[in-house]
Amino acid sequence: MKSKKIFVTILALVLAMSMFAGCDSGSRSKSGKKSSKSESEEEEDEDDEEDDKEEKNGKEDKKDKKDKDTDDIMDPEENSIMDKEEKFEGFTDPNIKAMAEEYEAMGYVVEPVTASEFGAQDYNYVEGFRMYSEEDPDTFFGWAKFDSSEDGIDFVNEVWIANCEGYIAHTYYENYLTFFIDGLYGGSVSYGGLMEYVPYEGDGRENTASPEDFDDAEVAALCKEYQDKGFKVQSESYYDNAFMAYGVDENRAHIQVLCRKFDDKDSAVAYLDEYYSSTSMTEITMTDNADGSVSVQIDDTTGSLVTFPMVGTISESGLVVLTYPE
């Protein structure tokens, strides 16, 4: 029994030594200056290596294409590439979702609006939509949701207003904005960043006055001056030699100009002082100038009146010209 164990042990050692010798022989042949392989075998190995490289490159190309396909999505209707994040997958904001479903139930078309379509990628835009009747798609009502009212107000001021021809905008309590932008939209941004908007072409005002309507030469000349600037001038029905002019200033903000001729400077001063000092909501300041005119500024004391401050002059002849926001 003992001799059998010795025999098994010796046999195991012999096998182990032969395996080690084979490995050593193989390593020496690879490290030698000349391989023991034939030239045909070397050519086959080179071909195999080239095939392996091509297969690896093909796999990498497929991987790159797959990655690109996941980044971009082809829009079948527009036949254009859309970012994956822009692919609409349903409304998530509760208010937007509820309104969209309500309008759809009423038979309106609900069209989602993405951040890139809106130009609001940098303003924490959440989502939004336009709703319209199928018969009149150009007449629509839009809703948009931003993270906060500050985001929505910044977007309106820095994107829409910054590139417009004219606008009227009023901010209330720093988190509520109303706006009317010529040739674009009119609407508001309210608390929580919810914005509503509709198409807005402009106020539709026309010139209804002409210099010949006024018998005072100063008023007639001023009427022509404002019309030459592109303002719309309309006569005041309650007073003679008085008109309102509507236009935009150098900042594209809509302004209005009140022009009225009094009998003399003192009459004009007394009227304005009495009218604007009679209420606690406004405060008037008058400053005499060296040329005999009076500079006028009328301020809002409440912080809520949108057509203030009013700034202008009273000429020595009694002509009042006041300019203020619309």
Side-chain angles (χ1 to χ4, degrees):
M1 188 72 180
K2 184 176 180 181
S3 61
K4 184 176 180 181
K5 286 184 179 181
I6 294 172
F7 174 77
V8 171
T9 302
I10 294 172
L11 180 61
L13 288 172
V14 170
L15 290 173
M17 290 177 67
S18 64
M19 289 176 65
F20 177 79
C23 292
D24 183 59
S25 174
S27 64
R28 282 199 302 269
S29 69
K30 288 181 182 178
S31 62
K33 291 184 179 180
K34 186 174 181 180
S35 172
S36 63
K37 291 183 179 180
S38 67
E39 291 182 2
S40 61
E41 289 176 332
E42 290 178 352
E43 289 176 358
E44 289 177 2
D45 288 344
E46 290 176 359
D47 291 339
D48 290 340
E49 289 177 3
E50 289 295 323
D51 291 340
D52 290 341
K53 287 181 180 179
E54 291 179 1
E55 182 178 357
K56 182 179 179 181
N57 290 338
K59 289 181 179 179
E60 290 178 351
D61 290 342
K62 288 181 180 179
K63 182 178 182 300
D64 291 342
K65 186 177 186 302
K66 183 178 180 182
D67 291 342
K68 187 177 188 305
D69 289 343
T70 57
D71 291 338
D72 298 325
I73 299 173
M74 180 68 75
D75 184 356
E77 295 183 359
E78 299 294 337
N79 194 28
S80 62
I81 297 295
M82 299 172 59
D83 290 339
K84 184 180 179 182
E85 64 179 7
E86 291 288 273
K87 192 69 175 178
F88 178 71
E89 297 178 352
F91 296 111
T92 58
D93 181 82
N95 291 332
I96 293 292
K97 188 175 189 299
M99 288 189 292
E101 291 175 349
E102 182 179 354
Y103 285 126
E104 281 184 323
M106 295 168 63
Y108 289 98
V109 177
V110 172
E111 182 180 275
V113 178
T114 63
S116 61
E117 292 175 280
F118 221 44
Q121 299 94 318
D122 300 326
Y123 293 89
N124 296 318
Y125 176 76
V126 180
E127 60 194 14
F129 67 87
R130 296 188 183 100
M131 53 78 60
Y132 54 85
S133 65
E134 194 169 358
E135 299 78 18
D136 186 15
D138 293 331
T139 303
F140 63 83
F141 199 101
W143 294 93
K145 181 68 170 63
F146 294 83
D147 276 352
S148 67
S149 59
E150 183 180 7
D151 291 321
I153 291 172
D154 286 346
F155 166 73
V156 172
N157 286 326
E158 297 173 10
V159 178
W160 283 354
I161 287 179
N163 299 290
C164 74
E165 295 180 0
Y167 70 93
I168 301 169
H170 300 299
T171 304
Y172 302 87
Y173 309 111
E174 298 183 355
N175 54 13
Y176 188 94
L177 173 76
T178 61
F179 57 87
F180 299 90
I181 305 170
D182 295 346
L184 194 61
Y185 305 120
S188 65
V189 179
S190 60
Y191 310 100
L194 184 64
M195 180 170 76
E196 56 180 336
Y197 62 100
V198 295
Y200 179 76
E201 293 301 323
D203 56 30
R205 291 192 182 100
E206 299 292 339
N207 275 299
T208 60
S210 66
E212 292 75 19
D213 295 337
F214 308 105
D215 54 27
D216 183 271
E218 285 186 288
V219 176
L222 204 57
C223 172
K224 184 179 185 308
E225 179 182 331
Y226 278 107
Q227 288 179 334
D228 289 345
K229 292 178 181 178
F231 281 64
K232 305 297 173 28
V233 179
Q234 299 180 352
S235 299
E236 281 287 290
S237 58
Y238 296 106
Y239 308 104
D240 294 330
N241 292 311
F243 66 77
M244 291 293 300
Y246 304 91
V248 298
D249 63 13
E250 63 277 5
N251 298 316
R252 302 186 311 281
H254 275 270
I255 57 173
Q256 45 196 355
V257 181
L258 167 65
C259 174
R260 181 181 172 189
K261 185 65 175 291
F262 288 80
D263 292 337
D264 51 53
K265 182 176 70 174
D266 292 340
S267 299
V269 169
Y271 175 84
L272 293 180
D273 185 51
E274 180 181 0
Y275 188 86
Y276 288 105
S277 297
S278 61
T279 171
S280 60
M281 298 180 69
T282 57
E283 180 181 47
I284 185 169
T285 303
M286 298 189 190
T287 305
D288 292 329
N289 300 318
D291 62 359
S293 65
V294 177
S295 294
V296 180
Q297 178 159 333
I298 307 167
D299 294 301
D300 163 34
T301 59
T302 69
S304 61
L305 303 179
V306 298
T307 57
F308 289 83
M310 304 175 74
V311 179
T313 59
I314 304 172
S315 71
E316 200 169 16
S317 66
L319 179 64
V320 175
V321 179
L322 293 176
T323 301
Y324 46 100
E326 187 171 359

